[in-house]
Amino acid sequence: MKTKLFILLIGIIYFIPARAQLNADSTFASYFTYAQTYADTYPREKAHLHFDNTSYFIGDTIWYKAYVTTAEQNLPSKLSKPLYVEILDQLGNIKEQQIVELQNGEGHGQIILTSAFLSGYYEIRAYTRWMVSFDEKQYFSRTFPVYTKRKNDMEEDRNIVTYHMDESMEKRPHEKETKKLVLRFYPEGGQLVRGIPSVLAFEAISRDNGPVDIQGVLCEEDGKETTRFCTLHNGMGAFTCTPGLHPAVAKVVYEGKDYSFTLPEALSSGYTINATGKEATINVQIFRSSLSLNDTLAVFVSHQGRPLSYQVIDFGDQLSKRFTIATESFPEGVLQLSLMTIKGATLCDRFCYIMAPDSKVQLQVSSPTSLFAPYEPIQYKVSMKDKDGQPLQGKFSIAIRSALKSDYSEYDNTIFTDLLLTSDLKGYIHQPGYYFADHSAARRTALDILLLVHGWRKYDMSHIIGVITSKIAIKPETDLVLHGQ
């Protein structure tokens, strides 16, 4: 009788984990299927405006060509018919709004900078109603300097007048931050956990000079120095630290003055995610703080709201789980890694960038001369070929500017950077072309830090995987309907 009971218990011990694993696979598979259906039902759009110049004077006309594409394939979108284009002043007021009719994802328009405009920096936004109907609202944004009106065509001086602010403008809320230097921290995946080594990105911002380069050191509660760090590019950097019971302090010397910044508070227990990109793979490692944490987890890989794959995490008797994601079949652009529980809660969120090898077109531009007289016809020959040297056919927009009077800056925004990078990130991205100038290790590291800083957020996938049922009330505007007399 004792022997039979022993055999029965062994059978139960082996059966329960197998059934639990089967249920987990089935649950995450259903989440994946639902998310695929959600992406099919609600495909997303992106917008890009190609301008004729990089700065303007009062009295000029801003000419632009509009492109609206599908977010996944970057092909011309047929979902929306109207595109809304707005120009906003420095106080955030909409100075003018236009509705551009799209034909197969393309349109064009112009904004006349009349005397009603004051010199200053203006933001131009473009979006379809469908783009702003999601929780993560997306729109195209570009800022231009608008200079005072030229007295004649030969005047080259550019200046922006600082206008007197009236009493109502003086009552605007003041910045609470009074420090001359601010250091902001962004934990990889969104959180720190005690005892787990984690990557911590940071951004150094000067009140007067914007992003600045700094060097610093981490100090524990007892004053012991543990880690030295420095910025890599445009005021951003990253370092690895192991949080303890009390947050460490980052000490920095800037312009002869000492500054101290306390790191974010770490959770007493939980999970973290670490991702490092290679040429055609992403190495992912999931950590847990103790063996007592036995939640059933999975990492979902998605692009523009569409899930591409998922990996169920089985820690066994280990504190970490490592696996590799092959990226050869993934589209180029921002990839999202989400660590989720079996109940559909998102624990960690991490952005990575997939760089497609040899995907760039070959563009050659030639002209019989580099100097042209005023109003002289300009002749340029443009040749565009694919990576194999075969000619490309299509419709293209070209802007030719004066090399002497242009404010063009190196590594400026392009349709490539707008559609594949900045549209997925938060905040202003300075010179996004810098991250694609070459494929060196330094550029890839700088790009990854950019994603850690500007892609840092708490993201909820519960409605995408069907845990919370929700429907988008706004539908794509397939027709351009005008009302009035």
Side-chain angles (χ1 to χ4, degrees):
M1 186 69 182
K2 293 181 179 179
T3 304
K4 291 182 179 180
L5 180 60
F6 176 76
I7 295 174
L8 178 61
L9 289 176
I10 292 293
I12 292 175
I13 290 173
Y14 278 94
F15 175 70
I16 291 177
R19 185 174 65 180
Q21 181 67 29
L22 183 62
N23 290 339
D25 289 340
S26 176
T27 301
F28 287 121
S30 65
Y31 288 162
F32 186 82
T33 302
Y34 188 95
Q36 289 277 10
T37 304
Y38 188 92
D40 292 334
T41 307
Y42 304 113
R44 303 186 183 186
E45 291 180 317
K46 290 183 179 182
H48 171 76
L49 298 186
H50 183 196
F51 297 95
D52 66 322
N53 215 332
T54 53
S55 64
Y56 298 91
F57 291 86
I58 298 297
D60 287 350
T61 298
I62 301 176
W63 298 88
Y64 62 85
K65 176 69 179 292
Y67 297 93
V68 176
T69 68
T70 57
E72 292 184 47
Q73 294 88 15
N74 291 309
L75 297 175
S77 174
K78 299 180 180 180
L79 292 176
S80 299
K81 192 78 168 181
L83 175 71
Y84 298 88
V85 179
E86 300 172 345
I87 182 168
L88 297 85
D89 63 17
Q90 298 172 84
L91 298 178
N93 301 314
I94 298 177
K95 297 290 293 183
E96 183 176 337
Q97 184 185 64
Q98 300 179 347
I99 302 178
V100 176
E101 182 181 8
L102 297 173
Q103 295 288 349
N104 195 30
E106 295 183 11
H108 56 85
Q110 66 276 348
I111 300 173
I112 302 175
L113 299 174
T114 64
S115 56
F117 285 83
L118 303 178
S119 63
Y121 287 88
Y122 287 83
E123 179 189 11
I124 295 182
R125 294 179 182 177
Y127 58 89
T128 64
R129 289 284 172 83
W130 186 238
M131 290 171 59
V132 297
S133 61
F134 296 88
D135 293 336
E136 292 292 321
K137 295 179 174 57
Q138 289 188 340
Y139 56 85
F140 170 87
S141 174
R142 190 75 181 272
T143 301
F144 292 98
V146 176
Y147 302 112
T148 55
K149 188 175 183 179
R150 290 174 294 186
K151 297 179 181 179
N152 52 67
D153 292 338
M154 301 303 295
E155 186 180 22
E156 296 184 7
D157 293 336
R158 305 181 182 124
N159 63 83
I160 293 177
V161 177
T162 302
Y163 295 93
H164 174 72
M165 300 296 181
D166 59 29
E167 293 183 358
S168 63
M169 294 181 180
E170 291 177 356
K171 294 179 182 179
R172 290 178 298 171
H174 296 285
E175 292 287 341
K176 295 181 180 180
E177 188 60 60
T178 59
K179 287 185 177 181
K180 194 171 184 179
L181 179 70
V182 177
L183 206 61
R184 302 190 182 103
F185 300 99
Y186 305 88
E188 182 178 20
Q191 60 191 23
L192 295 174
V193 179
R194 295 176 192 169
I196 299 180
S198 300
V199 174
L200 194 61
F202 66 90
E203 183 180 28
I205 302 293
S206 167
R207 183 185 61 194
D208 302 322
N209 303 317
V212 292
D213 293 331
I214 55 99
Q215 294 182 350
V217 61
L218 287 186
C219 296
E220 298 296 338
E221 187 180 13
D222 57 2
K224 180 182 178 181
E225 297 184 358
T226 58
T227 305
R228 292 193 171 273
F229 61 89
C230 64
T231 51
L232 177 64
H233 173 69
N234 198 37
M236 294 177 287
F239 56 87
T240 301
C241 66
T242 303
L245 181 61
H246 302 285
V249 175
K251 295 186 177 181
V252 176
V253 178
Y254 176 67
E255 292 187 345
K257 186 176 181 180
D258 295 333
Y259 293 89
S260 296
F261 303 93
T262 303
L263 268 60
E265 191 81 26
L267 301 176
S268 58
S269 63
Y271 303 88
T272 64
I273 184 173
N274 173 251
T276 55
K278 301 297 181 181
E279 192 65 32
T281 60
I282 297 177
N283 296 328
V284 181
Q285 193 166 10
I286 309 299
F287 296 89
R288 58 177 176 174
S289 56
S290 68
L291 295 175
S292 62
L293 292 173
N294 56 1
D295 301 292
T296 304
L297 307 176
V299 172
F300 270 63
V301 183
S302 57
H303 172 74
Q304 298 300 328
R306 178 174 295 280
L308 303 176
S309 65
Y310 69 94
Q311 172 76 37
V312 179
I313 306 300
D314 181 13
F315 285 101
D317 59 352
Q318 304 295 318
L319 290 176
S320 65
K321 173 69 174 180
R322 187 191 301 270
F323 60 94
T324 300
I325 301 174
T327 61
E328 297 97 330
S329 61
F330 292 166
E332 183 171 9
V334 176
L335 205 67
Q336 181 176 333
L337 308 182
S338 303
L339 179 63
M340 299 169 46
T341 68
I342 197 169
K343 294 183 179 180
T346 305
L347 300 178
C348 301
D349 196 66
R350 171 70 153 95
F351 278 10
C352 300
Y353 193 91
I354 303 302
M355 193 84 70
D358 300 328
S359 62
K360 311 298 186 297
V361 297
Q362 303 175 29
L363 177 63
Q364 294 181 343
V365 180
S366 60
S367 174
T369 179
S370 59
L371 297 176
F372 295 92
Y375 306 105
E376 178 185 359
I378 298 175
Q379 297 181 5
Y380 270 93
K381 182 179 180 181
V382 180
S383 173
M384 187 173 295
K385 300 178 182 179
D386 60 18
K387 61 180 181 179
D388 299 322
Q390 298 299 318
L392 290 174
Q393 294 184 355
K395 295 188 294 182
F396 307 97
S397 57
I398 299 176
I400 300 178
R401 311 181 181 104
S402 169
L404 298 178
K405 298 182 180 181
S406 175
D407 280 339
Y408 173 79
S409 58
E410 192 177 12
Y411 309 129
D412 211 344
N413 296 63
T414 65
I415 189 172
F416 180 85
T417 60
D418 285 342
L419 294 184
L420 295 185
L421 181 65
T422 60
S423 58
D424 294 288
L425 303 181
K426 299 293 184 181
Y428 169 72
I429 311 299
H430 181 63
Q431 295 183 335
Y434 168 87
Y435 303 96
F436 304 99
D438 56 58
H439 286 191
S440 64
R443 304 269 182 178
R444 287 177 176 266
T445 302
L447 176 58
D448 195 56
I449 293 175
L450 176 75
L451 295 175
L452 289 174
V453 172
H454 288 272
W456 191 89
R457 57 185 171 178
K458 288 292 186 180
Y459 193 79
D460 185 12
M461 294 188 62
S462 56
H463 63 288
I464 295 179
I465 61 177
V467 174
I468 298 178
T469 304
S470 62
K471 292 184 178 180
I472 299 178
I474 302 176
K475 296 182 179 180
E477 295 180 293
T478 56
D479 295 308
L480 181 59
V481 180
L482 301 180
H483 300 276
Q485 295 180 346

